Amino acid sequence: MRRFLCLLLLILALPASGAGLLDSRPSSTLGGGSLDNSKDFLPVRQAFQLSLIETTPESIKLRLVATDGYYLYRHRFQFRTEPADIGLGEAQLPKGEQKHDEYFGDVEVYHGILDIDLPRKPGEQRPFTLAVTYQGCADKGLCYPPETERLSIGDTSASPADQASARAPAAAAWSWKELALFFLAGVGLTFTPCVLPMLPILSGVVLRGQVGGLRGLSLSLAYVLPMAACFALLGALMGMFGAGLNLQARLQSAWVLVPFSAFFVIFAIAMFGAFELRLPQSISSRLDRVAGKTEGGSLWGAAVLGVVSSLLVSPCVSAPLAGALLYISASGDALGGALKLFALGLGMGAPLLLIATGGATWLPKSGPWLVTVKNAIGVLLLGLAIGLLSRVLPGQVTLLLVGLLSAGVALFLGALEFNVKTTRQKLAQLLGLALLVYALACWYGALSGQTDPMRPLGREYATANNGAQATSESQWQTITSSAELDRLMQEARSEGKPLVLDWYADWCISCKVIEHEVLPDPAVVARLSGYQRVRFDITDSNAEQRALLDRYKLFGPPALLFFDKNGEELQTARVVGEIDAAGLIERLNSSSDQN
């Protein structure tokens, strides 16, 4: 039964992981999630932090840090000098992450840290102002208007200390939620086949029968804390130097992505039992000798064992640990990196603390179910490898690989077996058949030119739906100025009609989704039939339009604002970011509108 439950959890997790790794546009909020106002999103200069890294006679180096959950467009960068006669060379931007959108086509985006080099004219030493224009979006479905920041570029003879003082400080790159997730990940790593069997051995060596009470707790803490500290040191080093290496940006190159993907495939094959990962014999034998000479039952001995064991278990958790280090490297925050891996180490030591306080009966016993866990981790590692390769492979090839992985899991679940007898086997086979159907859909979609694993067969619109969409679009009035908006709102108040205001821009992907998929939905059209429908187009993003965004406390499109017959906004119905048709209708029904 444990084998079946683990595989069930794996299959339920696959769509979520596939969306995060492979989805080509921001995900919609299902069921009308928490999109009630702009507080769910950061102001633009907190979402994207620009700093001056270095100024030399030859070049200017800038750094833009996109907060986790936000990304920047490569093609939206502009660099100007004031005065204009101080020219700059072409900006040196690394290759971005390939992103395919059904409305915008192929674009390049940047997550994490982005370093930009601007060549200077030889011999040009005059101070000037550098205007940097950029644009980005939130993964939740909000697009910011183009933002321009100005940096003062002074005399290159200034001291390094003066240049460093001009750099913008980076924000702390950790939160309590992230620490909790790393802790839970550490607990999960404990139940890998090469870590869980060590718990009885460790408890015997560390505790030496002193289970329960303050002594057992202190001995286990003396073991767990140094082990976690070793991981914290690794996290601090990666947070400190990983940003300088800019691994996140370098990972956009096929020369780096392919070896990393091969690395995860090798670990996946090891998880399937083809071979066993171990430290080199010369190193492991020395560590074993140190552990053997260490006296158990003492605080000092437990601490030494904690440090040694952090090295011994590293091969078993190398793949998840590599992913964690890569994530930390994008933060540029040594403290945050240390805290995250310290939480990971505490999670790995939590079961030992449970044993030390007399709770060993709550821990699962070693057995064949560990093989299922091992196989499940292998499948997830293969999924991660596909996710990395999707940045350099055509979308159709990625879809073929997703189908191949799904078919492999389906065969493992016994989708094509005939001698199925037990109820557990029948349920596993049923899930396998569902995955096999999904795999066939992926293969057919890939051969038909589709690229989205969440919609392998694409999206077909019936003629009736196209007609409904055209009718719906004709009922929206598009405006571009605050004067036009004020006039239409006054007309709606005079006629006693509620009004819906759709904030739109051509450069907003999520706006396209709402325009083509949500607003033409027959149920939405029927629900908005009594509203005056106004679409405010802020594609130009001029000063007047940006002032109107501030007036309504918005960061950017998409947004849907609803006003009653008296012109008062229905705050409970406000939508900021992407939403689906069902969620929009739910919001409207739960609002206080009684038109």
Side-chain angles (χ1 to χ4, degrees), residues 221-282:
L221 284 175
Y223 170 85
V224 171
L225 292 178
M227 179 186 70
C230 289
F231 284 112
L233 177 61
L234 188 59
L237 292 174
M238 185 56 67
M240 185 182 302
F241 299 109
L245 297 174
N246 202 359
L247 295 180
Q248 197 79 348
R250 296 177 189 275
L251 266 183
Q252 310 314 316
S253 168
W255 296 101
V256 181
L257 283 171
V258 173
F260 257 80
S261 301
F263 168 78
F264 286 116
V265 171
I266 290 172
F267 273 94
I269 295 173
M271 288 294 176
F272 295 142
F275 55 89
E276 188 174 357
L277 291 172
R278 291 182 177 274
L279 286 172
Q281 184 63 31
S282 58

Side-chain angles (χ1 to χ4, degrees), residues 23-42:
D23 198 9
S24 61
R25 59 174 172 84
S27 60
S28 61
T29 299
L30 300 178
S34 58
L35 291 176
D36 51 352
N37 55 52
S38 298
K39 68 183 180 181
D40 298 316
F41 300 94
L42 294 173

Side-chain angles (χ1 to χ4, degrees), residues 144-470:
Y144 293 86
E147 180 73 7
T148 299
E149 291 192 47
R150 287 173 167 78
L151 301 172
S152 296
I153 308 299
D155 193 341
T156 57
S157 62
S159 66
D162 293 334
Q163 294 182 15
S165 65
R167 303 175 190 175
W174 64 274
S175 64
W176 291 108
K177 179 181 178 180
E178 286 182 313
L179 296 184
L181 291 175
F182 270 83
F183 177 83
L184 292 176
V187 174
L189 289 176
T190 306
F191 297 98
T192 53
C194 59
V195 178
L196 185 64
M198 293 177 61
L199 286 179
I201 301 173
L202 289 173
S203 61
V205 174
V206 174
L207 301 176
R208 290 292 176 91
Q210 303 178 55
V211 179
L214 183 60
R215 182 61 178 172
L217 180 62
S218 61
L219 283 172
S220 58
L221 284 175
Y223 170 85
V224 171
L225 292 178
M227 179 186 70
C230 289
F231 284 112
L233 177 61
L234 188 59
L237 292 174
M238 185 56 67
M240 185 182 302
F241 299 109
L245 297 174
N246 202 359
L247 295 180
Q248 197 79 348
R250 296 177 189 275
L251 266 183
Q252 310 314 316
S253 168
W255 296 101
V256 181
L257 283 171
V258 173
F260 257 80
S261 301
F263 168 78
F264 286 116
V265 171
I266 290 172
F267 273 94
I269 295 173
M271 288 294 176
F272 295 142
F275 55 89
E276 188 174 357
L277 291 172
R278 291 182 177 274
L279 286 172
Q281 184 63 31
S282 58
I283 298 178
S284 61
S285 60
R286 292 180 183 178
L287 292 175
D288 289 337
R289 286 197 297 270
V290 172
K293 295 178 181 178
T294 302
E295 180 183 356
S298 67
L299 296 178
W300 172 251
V304 172
L305 286 172
V307 174
V308 173
S309 65
S310 67
L311 300 174
L312 287 173
V313 302
S314 292
C316 298
V317 299
S318 289
L321 188 60
L325 292 175
L326 180 61
Y327 173 78
I328 290 170
S329 73
S331 67
D333 180 25
L335 176 61
L339 290 175
K340 290 168 187 173
L341 280 200
F342 186 75
L344 183 80
L346 288 181
M348 293 182 64
L352 184 62
L353 294 175
L354 189 61
I355 293 176
T357 54
T361 56
W362 293 94
L363 292 175
K365 306 299 181 183
S366 298
W369 69 275
L370 279 178
V371 177
T372 302
V373 173
K374 199 174 181 181
N375 292 333
I377 294 174
V379 171
L380 292 176
L381 289 174
L382 289 177
L384 181 57
I386 294 174
L388 290 175
L389 289 174
S390 67
R391 302 178 184 179
V392 295
L393 291 177
Q396 293 92 330
V397 177
T398 299
L399 196 56
L400 285 173
L401 293 176
V402 171
L404 183 62
L405 179 60
S406 301
V409 177
L411 294 177
F412 176 77
L413 289 170
L416 301 181
E417 293 181 5
F418 297 100
N419 56 342
V420 176
K421 299 179 180 179
T422 67
T423 302
R424 180 184 66 183
Q425 291 175 330
K426 291 178 180 178
L427 290 175
Q429 187 178 52
L430 182 62
L431 290 174
L433 288 172
L435 273 180
L436 189 58
V437 171
Y438 172 74
L440 294 174
C442 287
W443 293 335
Y444 178 82
L447 296 176
S448 303
Q450 301 297 326
T451 60
D452 190 352
M454 303 306 294
R455 297 186 182 93
L457 297 179
R459 186 187 295 106
E460 299 294 337
Y461 290 98
T463 303
N465 288 341
N466 288 334
Q469 179 174 340

Side-chain angles (χ1 to χ4, degrees), residues 12 59 250 268 360 384 544 569:
L12 292 177
S59 67
R250 296 177 189 275
L384 181 57
E544 180 188 0
E569 184 184 353

Side-chain angles (χ1 to χ4, degrees), residues 472-502:
S472 173
E473 284 300 308
S474 66
Q475 296 174 343
W476 287 87
Q477 187 170 353
T478 301
I479 59 175
T480 57
S481 69
S482 58
E484 292 176 291
L485 177 60
D486 292 339
R487 177 179 58 82
L488 291 175
M489 293 192 72
Q490 179 60 42
E491 290 180 2
R493 284 194 297 269
S494 301
E495 298 174 5
K497 292 182 62 176
L499 182 144
V500 54
L501 180 59
D502 174 26

